[in-house]
Amino acid sequence: MSRWSSAAAASVTLQRGFTLPLGLVLGLVLSAGSAGGATVEQRHIHIEIQGDGSLLETTRLRVRLDTDADVARWTTYRTYLDDNRELEGLEAAILRADGRREAGVAGRDMVEASGSAFHASRRFHLLTFADLGVGDRIVVEQAIRHRPYYPASRVLLHGGEEVVDLKVTVSGADPTTWRHAVSGEVPGLEVEGGPGGVTVSATGLPPRTAPPLAPGGFDARPALRFGWGGDGSWDHVGAWLLGEATGAPKGPSTGGTVADLAAELTSDLGTPRERLETLTRFVQQDIRYLAVEVGEGGYRPSPPPEVLERRWGDCKDKTMLLVDLLAAVGIEARPAYVRSGRGRRLDPAFPSHDAFDHVVVAVPVAQLGAGEGGLDVGGAVADGWLFVDPTQGRGGAGWLHPNVQDQLALVAGAAGSILIRTPSRPHQERRSLVVDLNLDPGGVLAAGDARGTARLELTGELADRLLAELGEAEPSSARESARSLLAGLLPAATLGAVDWFDRSEDRPAGGAPAVEIEADVVIPGLMTGGSSSIRLPAMHGTPDPEILRGRGDPAVLPTRRVDARWRLRLPPDSCPPVARGAEVDNAVGAFRQSLAEEDGVWVVLRTTELRTRWVDRGDLPKLEALALAEHRTQRRRLRLRCSAPE
């Protein structure tokens, strides 16, 4: 799925293909390394919106290097450039610890920006300082001219480092179209708005360290967002994106038209759902994912006939090809723009084109022969739309990668665009462990040991990732990887021969990828305390409650379901087990434990479900309650009692 790389690496190509120029995020690249460390004594940025819609960004930066790590990070200062982002001036100096000022520049260079897509114009200007040392300060003054495709941008306000003096000013906009907003919470920020501009300032911002489970990338950091054109609505954004998507010519390819192929692939299929599945699988499996983007190609897809002929494209290309294929067989579909990634989300209060890094296909379920409610079409359905990702290699139209689940998507259409939250489908993101054990002290087993079988079934993202790894590995290496995964869940067990199976084809058409791992197991000392209790290994679906206690920051989790079923055949003279039932069910998720006897076999079932990936401050107590219930219950031994406790 899609993600921004670190500011330090400065790659802005988003995996799975919706690419946004880094110039849209002004003031992002502050150092040669990751945020944090050093002391930013002064960071002043002034952005002037010109009459032609371009931006002139001037920056003054002074940084004190407090450690050897700071020296290593700041020896090279990177400035991102492309065809629409030009360096108009860059001066730098070193203020030595003893007060001397030196030019201090050892060299300048230009290198191509790295990333998963080829982009002819992306590059970095590298300025290298000479002989930096702890206690030195670097001073940088630069001017950059930026010509954005869309009239909106943003500035990162606090990347994690200590900032003594911050001032960001934007000016020159038409007051009738000007808008701005500050995202994130930073105590001490002062925001002063005026006609056609805004100033954000602060003094003494302390270092910020993201806690575990924190949102990632830009979403974890405060930013000034601003726009200076259009009506500031999602309709305007959708119309612009759709214009980019449909602006390329759509002439026929030399290998036949898109409509010809659609008819050929679906000629013997009777239902719209079957046609959707067949065409989706074709685009997913026969059109290779590859991003080659030049200039406006970060937003504008290649013509579908061209994508069909060359047999490769990025997410925009694959989406618009699938839209055209579906239209050829009478199924309306639209591009749906999303901000993908588990730790990232879109702010619905500030419409902007740079809210998105990925595009998928939205299909009205009413066209798929769905029954009442439209929920029997299979797949990720919300508000009457089925969301399909043509960049996935597996899953067809019935599985949506969790990075695109529970995200706001802008479904763009000529008559208007609508924001829809894609569904969360934890039942498809599943880890299911079944362990069938015989606790018989006789024979070759010592008292308290258990022998049996273990079977782990993975569905969804984990299965997709594992199948890709296993499919590329040698058979012996693949089995060893499968063994390691199972051994991690049963750390005390001795595993026999391990086998793994791709169960994806056993699922209904368009179902989530599935893989199964199984082995014979021996677990020593499972029954302890003179045969008075059983300690079952835990398989947690929630985070450690300790990192949730007193937490104020949002937490980001994988939406998933975790099941563990323990089938225990006890010795004939054993007392029956007694286990406390447990159940927590709230908006964040659910945990349940039950104990039952089935034909002389005692079955302990534990189920955890996480229903939402982004837990805001108000729901943190619910997440903590869920995690406490799961962790406490799984720490308790299963007691064996011959009579009820007094």
Side-chain angles (χ1 to χ4, degrees):
M1 301 285 66
S2 309
R3 71 170 73 86
W4 286 90
S5 63
S6 70
S11 166
V12 294
T13 301
L14 301 158
Q15 189 183 12
R16 290 294 182 257
F18 196 70
T19 304
L20 303 182
L22 212 165
L24 294 170
V25 190
L26 303 177
L28 171 64
V29 182
L30 301 183
S31 72
S34 58
T39 300
V40 179
E41 295 184 332
Q42 184 183 69
R43 182 172 173 241
H44 288 183
I45 298 175
H46 181 221
I47 300 168
E48 184 177 353
I49 300 171
Q50 310 288 290
D52 62 357
S54 67
L55 305 178
L56 180 61
E57 173 196 359
T58 57
T59 299
R60 180 176 175 83
L61 186 67
R62 186 174 74 243
V63 180
R64 187 181 73 231
L65 310 179
D66 299 324
T67 67
D68 289 336
D70 297 340
V71 173
R73 273 195 293 268
W74 287 88
T75 292
T76 301
Y77 181 84
R78 295 173 172 87
T79 302
Y80 171 77
L81 304 171
D82 59 30
D83 285 347
N84 280 21
R85 186 171 167 85
E86 301 172 0
L87 185 63
E88 294 199 344
L90 176 60
E91 300 296 333
I94 300 175
L95 302 179
R96 296 298 183 186
D98 60 7
R100 292 178 294 118
R101 182 183 179 98
E102 299 179 2
V105 176
R108 298 171 185 258
D109 197 6
M110 197 77 73
V111 298
E112 292 184 0
S114 61
S116 61
F118 171 78
H119 194 300
S121 71
R122 289 191 181 141
R123 57 196 182 276
F124 277 103
H125 179 276
L126 306 181
L127 184 151
T128 303
F129 290 98
D131 302 323
L132 285 178
V134 174
D136 290 344
R137 293 167 170 81
I138 62 171
V139 177
V140 176
E141 296 183 6
Q142 74 177 17
I144 293 175
R145 175 84 58 179
H146 177 217
R147 299 174 180 84
Y149 294 113
Y150 185 88
S153 192
R154 55 179 162 176
V155 179
L156 178 67
L157 296 174
H158 192 194
E161 67 287 333
E162 179 182 356
V163 182
V164 178
D165 176 18
L166 171 70
K167 186 175 182 180
V168 178
T169 301
V170 184
S171 63
D174 180 348
T176 62
T177 59
W178 167 254
R179 63 191 188 280
H180 72 273
V182 173
S183 62
E185 297 183 9
V186 178
L189 281 182
E190 296 183 4
V191 182
E192 183 178 351
V198 65
T199 296
V200 179
S201 58
T203 57
L205 295 179
R208 290 166 53 92
T209 302
L213 307 179
F218 303 138
D219 303 284
R221 302 171 182 176
L224 168 65
R225 308 176 67 191
F226 57 95
W228 62 93
D231 62 7
S233 68
W234 286 115
D235 265 345
H236 186 269
V237 172
W240 184 83
L241 289 169
L242 193 61
E244 292 294 312
T246 57
K250 295 188 178 183
S253 70
T254 57
T257 67
V258 171
D260 290 340
L261 177 66
E264 178 185 343
L265 292 174
T266 63
S267 60
D268 59 346
L269 301 178
T271 69
R273 182 61 176 82
E274 291 173 330
R275 294 195 289 272
L276 168 65
E277 185 61 43
T278 296
L279 296 176
T280 297
R281 284 187 177 273
F282 169 79
V283 177
Q284 287 181 341
Q285 298 174 6
D286 286 53
I287 305 297
R288 182 165 58 101
Y289 175 80
L290 179 66
V292 176
E293 294 156 358
V294 180
E296 208 165 358
Y299 302 100
R300 177 169 293 176
S302 302
E306 179 182 320
V307 177
L308 181 59
E309 182 175 351
R310 71 193 187 196
R311 285 298 202 269
W312 58 261
D314 65 7
C315 72
K316 304 179 301 298
D317 300 334
K318 288 165 72 93
T319 285
M320 296 314 297
L321 174 58
L322 182 55
V323 166
D324 278 14
L325 286 168
L326 292 171
V329 297
I331 299 174
E332 174 196 358
R334 298 187 190 180
Y337 298 87
V338 297
R339 186 170 186 79
S340 70
R342 184 172 293 124
R344 310 171 65 233
R345 69 175 178 179
L346 175 153
D347 179 5
F350 195 91
S352 178
H353 70 309
D354 67 347
F356 310 106
D357 58 21
H358 191 44
V359 58
V360 298
V361 175
V363 182
V365 296
Q367 298 193 24
L368 300 178
E372 185 177 353
L375 299 180
D376 60 348
V377 297
V381 174
D383 293 350
W385 294 84
L386 171 67
F387 292 90
V388 178
D389 190 343
T391 69
Q392 296 172 181
R394 297 179 177 85
W399 175 60
L400 189 66
H401 195 283
N403 279 353
V404 191
Q405 294 181 29
D406 195 20
Q407 298 277 15
L408 284 172
L410 184 67
V411 179
S417 301
I418 51 175
L419 274 178
I420 297 174
R421 183 170 296 281
T422 61
S424 175
R425 294 171 64 78
H427 65 284
Q428 286 193 320
E429 306 303 316
R430 186 169 179 175
R431 290 185 297 170
S432 182
L433 178 67
V434 178
V435 186
D436 202 320
L437 295 174
N438 184 7
L439 289 88
D440 190 342
V444 297
L445 296 181
D449 291 355
R451 179 193 295 274
T453 60
R455 186 177 74 254
L456 174 65
E457 184 177 1
L458 305 174
T459 62
E461 177 191 14
L462 286 176
D464 185 44
R465 209 163 56 204
L466 184 62
L467 286 169
E469 295 173 3
L470 295 178
E472 295 173 358
E474 294 294 327
S476 59
S477 177
R479 286 192 175 87
E480 195 56 39
S481 296
R483 173 185 292 275
S484 298
L485 190 58
L486 191 56
L489 298 176
L490 302 170
T494 300
L495 303 183
V498 176
D499 290 313
W500 67 273
F501 309 93
D502 184 350
R503 298 300 192 194
S504 305
E505 296 304 319
D506 298 340
R507 301 303 175 101
V515 62
E516 189 176 288
I517 301 169
E518 63 181 29
D520 293 333
V521 298
V522 173
I523 304 180
L526 192 70
M527 184 179 291
T528 61
S531 301
S532 64
S533 66
I534 298 172
R535 180 67 176 268
L536 299 178
M539 188 168 71
H540 295 127
T542 61
D544 188 332
E546 286 299 317
I547 67 176
L548 302 174
R549 187 166 291 115
R551 185 186 182 96
D553 295 295
V556 179
L557 308 167
T559 52
R560 64 187 179 193
R561 178 170 174 151
V562 176
D563 298 320
R565 180 184 294 269
W566 294 85
R567 294 174 49 82
L568 307 174
R569 293 175 178 83
L570 302 182
D573 56 348
S574 293
C575 297
V578 177
R580 296 183 187 178
E583 183 167 352
V584 172
D585 195 329
N586 57 41
V588 173
F591 170 73
R592 296 178 181 86
Q593 174 175 282
S594 63
L595 172 67
E597 184 181 8
E598 299 177 358
D599 298 326
V601 177
W602 290 95
V603 179
V604 180
L605 177 61
R606 294 167 172 171
T607 301
T608 304
E609 183 174 280
L610 293 173
R611 298 171 178 148
T612 181
R613 62 179 181 86
W614 192 293
V615 183
D616 280 314
R617 182 178 300 173
D619 282 334
L620 285 172
K622 297 174 184 175
L623 175 59
E624 185 177 1
L626 181 63
L628 281 171
E630 185 199 47
H631 283 251
R632 285 175 177 172
T633 300
Q634 298 201 45
R635 280 199 301 266
R636 297 190 185 108
R637 287 180 168 83
L638 187 66
R639 302 293 180 181
L640 304 181
R641 291 179 177 150
C642 293
S643 60
E646 296 180 1

